[in-house]
Amino acid sequence: MISMLDYDDCYSKTMPMNDSAVDPRQRLVLAAADMLRQRGLNATSVREVAKLAQAPLGSTYHYFPGGKPQLISEAVQLSGEQVARYLTRTFAAGPRDGLLAFVALWRQLLQDKACRAGCPVMAVAADDSAADDDAPMLAAVAAAIRAWQQPLGDSLVTAGLPAARAARLATLLIAAVEGAILLCRAQGNTTALDEVAEELRLLLDNALAGVAAQGEP
Amino acid sequence: MISMLDYDDCYSKTMPMNDSAVDPRQRLVLAAADMLRQRGLNATSVREVAKLAQAPLGSTYHYFPGGKPQLISEAVQLSGEQVARYLTRTFAAGPRDGLLAFVALWRQLLQDKACRAGCPVMAVAADDSAADDDAPMLAAVAAAIRAWQQPLGDSLVTAGLPAARAARLATLLIAAVEGAILLCRAQGNTTALDEVAEELRLLLDNALAGVAAQGEP
DNA sequence: AAATCATTATAACGACTGTCATAGATCAAG
DNA sequence: CTTGATCTATGACAGTCGTTATAATGATTT
């Protein structure tokens, strides 16, 4: 079974956003992602991101001439890719182990940050006004979600499910886990995520048991 | 079967937030809820809410001496209660019909607002910084979620499921639907919600079929 | 050493935010 | 009619927002 708590691979506990060994540009992106996680899009200001990254404010517009939309988009993209890599790795061991790892990832984050954290990608999805300049941000969010659905769907297909069902289940897993994160934020504990995880586990076992029964007579 | 598109009971298409027949105080709350839906917490300004409600800015602090936190809290509370009433009514006809109505409610909203809308309750959950003054808002969100879980859980228990399982399933339904709304916002269509709805329907049928098989031998 | 480039520092711009104070209007009760 | 309470109107406060301009720095290359 995959070690499902190698949380550092996706989100290091000591984020290098103020580690001067990392170049300032990446520090800014990491700081933006961390702030999105806790405060949401509109409460994440360029000034505070720069301060958190220990970079001068002027540098922000040097590295990101597109301004805040570009900075946020890159933060969403980076976070999305990190999660996508994690999902690809963990779901390679099968949907069941993948789900456990997926849940464990977010559970750890919620616990570390006292349920004051969330997912940067969903923060942007929930908070953007979908105006003119927000288009690149929304595009980054949509791309991240697609990149998450891929490994989940592949894993379910490999396990024997039809493609259409696998795609639907992948969407459900992502929606349910992300929704549970919101519930946890509101309630201040991880109960909702635990309950959702248990039901999703039962659901997967059920779906895959049907495949096994049909596949080996 | 319950008419699952009486959307106006929960969220009127022509919101009375600028209907001068409604008293200004309630107009402000309705306008705040509508703005939360589309823009999120931090992008919802007191000035714009007042403008949308066609109420003077000064009136806002007359009716809501607690300021923005009070206004937002009441908007969350109102929206939460509306949805809770809708859930109580629709899930009384059984979990399956309730789920269909639940999904239809949000699907209609997404379609009407070109996927630019969401749930005010979740908007606050995703966007609050959990600071000092945000406590009443978070409390309103948590209360709303509890009020949603109740009718879902009751309906599932009535249908024959054990209490613990019913509670978990209720949480899953809420988390999955709310998460799907986020995905729809990001992707600009209602595909995610439709996929999630289909899987949740299968899941419910499965769980309830198990009960029926066990209940009538 | 000189010149070119990337980066920083500083300050400021206009627009917006939540909040409040105060003066004017409206209207019911005495 | 007058008093008192409720509501509106207006404008301002201190602060933050995203963004930009410009000058000073630092490093790299010629």
Side-chain angles (χ1 to χ4, degrees), chain B residues 33-98:
Chain B
D34 194 64
M35 220 150 179
L36 283 177
R37 227 182 283 281
Q38 317 200 39
R39 311 228 235 161
L41 172 58
N42 282 289
T44 294
S45 79
V46 179
R47 274 175 180 80
E48 285 196 77
V49 167
K51 189 182 300 176
L52 183 60
Q54 296 182 356
L57 173 60
S59 298
T60 307
Y61 287 89
H62 174 75
Y63 292 115
F64 305 92
K68 181 173 179 178
Q70 185 186 356
L71 174 60
I72 298 297
S73 296
E74 293 204 22
V76 166
Q77 187 181 345
L78 178 67
S79 307
E81 285 169 356
Q82 285 175 331
V83 173
R85 271 195 299 271
Y86 182 82
L87 293 179
T88 300
R89 181 152 36 88
T90 56
F91 271 84
R96 203 194 137 102
D97 288 348

Side-chain angles (χ1 to χ4, degrees), chain B residues 91 94-96 149-170 173 204 207-208 211:
Chain B
F91 271 84
R96 203 194 137 102
Q149 287 170 321
Q150 182 87 4
L152 300 214
D154 289 352
S155 173
L156 290 165
V157 166
T158 301
L161 292 183
R165 177 96 205 272
R168 287 202 309 264
L169 268 178
L173 293 187
L204 277 191
L208 298 178
V211 166

Side-chain angles (χ1 to χ4, degrees), chain B:
Chain B
M1 158 123 75
I2 280 216
S3 140
M4 59 183 168
L5 278 180
D6 47 350
Y7 173 81
D8 280 342
D9 293 340
C10 185
Y11 194 91
S12 50
K13 266 162 209 161
T14 63
M15 278 195 71
M17 58 201 173
N18 48 9
D19 178 358
S20 53
V22 186
D23 67 307
R25 193 181 196 280
Q26 187 162 12
R27 255 186 292 151
L28 283 166
V29 178
L30 291 172
D34 194 64
M35 220 150 179
L36 283 177
R37 227 182 283 281
Q38 317 200 39
R39 311 228 235 161
L41 172 58
N42 282 289
T44 294
S45 79
V46 179
R47 274 175 180 80
E48 285 196 77
V49 167
K51 189 182 300 176
L52 183 60
Q54 296 182 356
L57 173 60
S59 298
T60 307
Y61 287 89
H62 174 75
Y63 292 115
F64 305 92
K68 181 173 179 178
Q70 185 186 356
L71 174 60
I72 298 297
S73 296
E74 293 204 22
V76 166
Q77 187 181 345
L78 178 67
S79 307
E81 285 169 356
Q82 285 175 331
V83 173
R85 271 195 299 271
Y86 182 82
L87 293 179
T88 300
R89 181 152 36 88
T90 56
F91 271 84
R96 203 194 137 102
D97 288 348
L99 171 67
L100 292 180
F102 189 24
V103 168
L105 169 73
W106 294 113
R107 192 173 200 286
Q108 183 81 43
L109 174 70
L110 286 170
Q111 256 179 347
D112 287 355
K113 299 275 177 96
C115 289
R116 247 82 201 183
C119 169
V121 178
M122 288 305 149
V124 174
D127 206 7
D128 83 302
S129 58
D132 315 340
D133 296 341
D134 297 359
M137 297 195 263
L138 263 193
V141 171
I145 294 173
R146 273 195 306 272
W148 297 350
Q149 287 170 321
Q150 182 87 4
L152 300 214
D154 289 352
S155 173
L156 290 165
V157 166
T158 301
L161 292 183
R165 177 96 205 272
R168 287 202 309 264
L169 268 178
T171 302
L172 172 64
L173 293 187
I174 295 170
V177 170
E178 294 287 345
I181 292 172
L182 284 187
L183 299 192
C184 292
R185 271 180 75 102
Q187 299 176 329
N189 57 56
T190 61
T191 308
L193 183 59
D194 294 333
E195 290 182 335
V196 164
E198 171 71 6
E199 282 301 321
L200 290 180
R201 194 183 55 77
L202 289 175
L203 169 59
L204 277 191
D205 285 350
N206 229 323
L208 298 178
V211 166
Q214 208 178 20
E216 40 171 271

